[in-house]
């Protein structure tokens, strides 16, 4: 019997993270001496702000070397409540907060808390790469609502209403959206909230990790702002994107107390707590007003505009202007069925492979995000790298 079949069915049922796999492939080629430009991973290239770095150094000197309370230091949870009120107008108390090892663990804690076998989870597509696999890992059934580029990749309330059944347990989405860059407006969220109000048993996981990365005067709104559904919402956030602290692994939730308690229970058995030094640094980071990180957002906006200028020069790419996060998600189905340099482009996986082989630019196939006709390109890289990458792509495709 092959060892593969000895693994749990739960594990056999899920796939590797395609974003992480692609980025590992790019790293491997780079190590072999190839001049790879990695636009696959959603990882800001900034150093975390100096005031946060100083806070971490201070925490080491002050001796924060030990296990923390499972759900996070109490003073950090208090600061998170202040942050939620300051930035999102959401009222939470520390007993509603759980700090975890990245937003990834925070999301998984919530899913493990809520989901039983055969429960249905509604996910709009394109979705973030891990949502589908996490839901499958819980042996629940993802119910996908496809969206269209002409609708800026956003769902309508009628679509939501149609997808709801007696088995629906959770709605899982993110705004600003990875991979599309779309941002739901206050009004659009209000319309969705009206639907959830009619279904008070359905919970909503709102992943807001890109909240600060919004462009062109678009503002992020938290869906928990609508009082009728506040008790149905789990708001997820973290430090990876806004503070460029991906490796520090701090994420958190604001949630109804019963959910927070359940995440605490899971975390107490699985990890004990998030990293103590990173938690101390998070206190400083989250105490700061968002204008302290505006310089990064401005830079991302410049890069977004640069990408828009360059991508329109490439024949066969159809795209929508992203208003947030740091990805563009063009439709590349124009190339399907065509032979490029002897390679038959069957789908977005092959197209992404082709780009890596022919231009050494790493991207991620849209299939990872539930849209086989698109390609995700991250612009969390320097302007020089973006210019070089798009110049190479244009040369090969035009
Ligand atoms: N949600 C989304 C939409 C993301 O893009 C990411 C990126 N990693 C995460 C959650 C997880 O973030 P973290 O690094 O905090 O685990
Ligand atoms: N969120 C990033 C991405 O989508 C990081 C990779 C990951 O966590 O999967 O590329």
């Amino acid at each position: 019997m092959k060892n593969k079949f000895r693994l749990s069915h739960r594990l056999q049922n899920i796939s590797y993270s395609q974003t992480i796999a692609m980025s590992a492939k790019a790293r491997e080629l780079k190590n072999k001496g190839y001049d790879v430009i990695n636009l696959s991973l959603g990882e800001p290239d900034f150093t975390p702000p100096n005031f946060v770095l100083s806070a971490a150094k201070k925490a080491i000197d002050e001796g924060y070397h030990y296990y923390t309370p499972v759900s996070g230091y109490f003073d950090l949870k208090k600061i998170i409540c202040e942050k939620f009120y300051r930035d999102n107008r959401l009222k939470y108390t520390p007993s509603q907060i759980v700090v975890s090892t990245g937003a990834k663990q925070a999301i998984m804690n919530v899913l493990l808390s809520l989901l039983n076998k055969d429960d249905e989870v509604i996910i709009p597509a394109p979705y973030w790469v891990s949502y589908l696999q996490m839901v499958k890992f819980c042996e629940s059934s993802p119910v996908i609502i496809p969206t269209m580029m002409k609708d800026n990749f956003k769902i309508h309330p009628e679509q939501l209403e149609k997808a709801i059944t007696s088995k629906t347990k959770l709605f899982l989405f993110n705004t600003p959206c990875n991979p599309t860059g779309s941002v739901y407006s206050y009004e659009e969220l209000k319309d969705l909230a009206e639907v959830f109000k009619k279904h008070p048993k359905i919970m909503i996981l709102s992943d807001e990790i890109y909240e600060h990365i919004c462009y062109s005067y678009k503002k992020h709104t938290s869906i928990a702002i609508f009082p009728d559904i506040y008790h149905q919402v789990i708001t997820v956030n973290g430090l990876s994107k806004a503070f460029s602290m991906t490796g520090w692994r701090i994420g958190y939730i604001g949630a109804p107390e019963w959910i927070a308690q359940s995440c605490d229970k899971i975390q107490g058995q699985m990890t004990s707590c998030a990293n103590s030094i990173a938690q101390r640094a998070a206190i400083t980071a989250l105490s700061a007003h968002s204008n302290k990180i505006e310089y990064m957002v401005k830079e991302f906006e410049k890069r977004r505009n640069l990408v828009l200028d360059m991508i329109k020069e490439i024949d066969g790419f159809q795209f929508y202007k992203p208003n947030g996060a740091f990805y563009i998600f063009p439709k590349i189905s124009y190339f399907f069925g065509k032979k490029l340099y002897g390679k038959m482009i069957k789908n977005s996986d092959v197209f992404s492979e082709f780009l890596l082989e022919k231009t050494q630019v790493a991207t991620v196939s849209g299939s990872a995000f539930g849209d086989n006709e698109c390609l995700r390109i991250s612009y969390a890289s320097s302007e020089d790298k973006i210019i070089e990458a798009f110049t190479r792509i244009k040369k090969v495709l035009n």
Side-chain angles (χ1 to χ4, degrees):
M1 192 201 240
K2 284 211 168 123
N3 284 342
K4 185 179 155 195
F5 298 107
R6 297 165 66 189
L7 296 169
S8 71
H9 294 154
R10 220 180 309 106
L11 191 85
Q12 286 183 47
N13 202 17
I14 67 165
S15 53
Y16 277 96
S17 163
Q18 270 175 271
T19 48
I20 287 181
M22 192 55 167
S23 153
K25 200 164 174 182
R27 206 176 293 145
E28 194 185 305
L29 287 174
K30 216 172 193 161
N31 290 342
K32 284 188 183 157
Y34 290 92
D35 179 16
V36 177
I37 304 178
N38 189 0
L39 304 186
S40 66
L41 200 62
E43 178 161 64
D45 59 337
F46 297 99
T47 307
N50 279 332
F51 66 96
V52 183
L53 298 180
S54 306
K57 289 175 195 156
K58 191 161 164 256
I60 293 175
D61 292 339
E62 288 178 353
Y64 286 96
H65 308 303
Y66 310 103
Y67 291 134
T68 80
V70 170
S71 58
Y73 285 120
F74 188 73
D75 49 352
L76 172 57
K77 293 198 287 179
K78 263 178 36 193
I79 293 292
I80 291 173
C81 293
E82 284 170 25
K83 173 258 166 294
F84 270 131
Y85 192 67
R86 180 190 67 223
D87 296 343
N88 314 104
R89 288 284 167 259
L90 297 179
K91 280 192 190 158
Y92 288 116
T93 57
S95 58
Q96 295 177 277
I97 307 294
V98 178
V99 180
S100 300
T101 302
K104 242 180 200 173
Q105 191 190 23
I107 296 168
M108 198 63 206
N109 281 342
V110 174
L111 300 188
L112 288 170
S113 297
L114 285 174
L115 298 181
N116 287 314
K117 200 166 185 295
D118 299 330
D119 280 342
E120 290 179 0
V121 180
I122 300 177
I123 310 175
Y127 44 73
W128 179 50
V129 62
S130 294
Y131 293 160
L132 191 81
Q133 305 304 326
M134 286 172 161
V135 168
K136 281 178 27 186
F137 198 71
C138 294
E139 298 181 285
S140 295
S141 308
V143 174
I144 306 300
I145 306 183
T147 62
M148 313 245 256
M149 192 180 279
K150 75 170 177 48
D151 295 330
N152 297 353
F153 294 112
K154 291 187 260 190
I155 60 163
H156 298 294
E158 306 79 58
Q159 286 176 290
L160 175 62
E161 193 99 61
K162 253 179 145 172
I164 291 173
T165 72
S166 56
K167 288 186 177 172
T168 308
K169 193 72 166 278
L170 182 72
F171 176 71
L172 173 49
F173 84 124
N174 72 136
T175 177
C177 176
N178 172 7
T180 63
S182 51
V183 180
Y184 280 88
S185 68
Y186 176 92
E187 290 73 22
E188 287 162 343
L189 290 175
K190 190 165 192 281
D191 290 344
L192 298 183
E194 287 300 322
V195 178
F196 291 120
K197 189 175 147 184
K198 290 187 268 174
H199 301 274
K201 282 200 181 142
I202 298 179
M203 301 299 290
I204 301 142
L205 190 153
S206 176
D207 178 351
E208 305 183 5
I209 195 150
Y210 294 95
E211 72 164 328
H212 293 301
I213 308 173
C214 282
Y215 314 123
S216 322
Y217 308 102
K218 290 273 181 306
K219 253 194 80 63
H220 166 73
T221 305
S222 297
I223 195 164
I225 197 86
F226 304 104
D228 290 324
I229 61 156
Y230 169 82
H231 293 289
Q232 289 166 256
V233 182
I234 300 108
T235 309
V236 175
N237 213 320
L239 268 62
S240 286
K241 314 293 164 171
F243 294 91
S244 197
M245 288 167 69
T246 46
W248 295 56
R249 312 305 302 126
I250 295 289
Y252 55 89
I253 58 164
E257 223 170 273
W258 61 279
I259 298 272
Q261 274 165 10
S262 143
C263 293
D264 182 293
K265 184 174 173 185
I266 293 169
Q267 203 161 277
Q269 295 287 18
M270 310 274 175
T271 47
S272 299
C273 61
N275 176 288
S276 58
I277 305 296
Q279 284 195 51
R280 298 315 296 170
I283 294 179
T284 304
L286 296 175
S287 305
H289 191 272
S290 60
N291 60 17
K292 284 265 184 107
I293 49 169
E294 224 170 61
Y295 68 97
M296 292 193 258
V297 181
K298 285 211 169 111
E299 186 57 35
F300 285 134
E301 183 159 15
K302 257 172 70 192
R303 294 175 188 180
R304 193 263 323 239
N305 294 342
L306 173 67
V307 164
L308 286 171
D309 276 347
M310 298 203 71
I311 204 168
K312 65 176 180 241
E313 300 285 316
I314 300 174
D315 297 339
F317 275 39
Q318 200 189 329
F319 56 92
Y320 138 87
K321 181 177 173 180
N323 287 313
F326 34 61
Y327 310 96
I328 192 157
F329 201 62
K331 196 172 196 158
I332 43 90
S333 50
Y334 165 83
F335 298 98
F336 295 178
K338 294 190 168 61
K339 240 184 184 167
L340 301 179
Y341 295 83
K343 193 174 180 105
M344 175 57 82
I345 306 296
K346 283 191 309 215
N347 51 37
S348 58
D349 293 358
V350 179
F351 188 77
S352 168
E353 236 173 65
F354 166 79
L355 285 185
L356 186 62
E357 282 161 14
K358 202 71 200 161
T359 69
Q360 278 83 55
V361 176
T363 55
V364 186
S365 163
S367 65
F369 312 94
D371 189 330
N372 290 318
E373 298 194 328
C374 292
L375 181 78
R376 192 188 79 172
I377 306 174
S378 158
Y379 51 87
S381 272
S382 69
E383 284 194 14
D384 286 353
K385 284 190 183 157
I386 292 169
I387 292 171
E388 174 62 19
F390 278 90
T391 307
R392 287 187 199 174
I393 296 174
K394 181 176 162 187
K395 208 164 141 199
V396 164
L397 293 180
N398 283 16

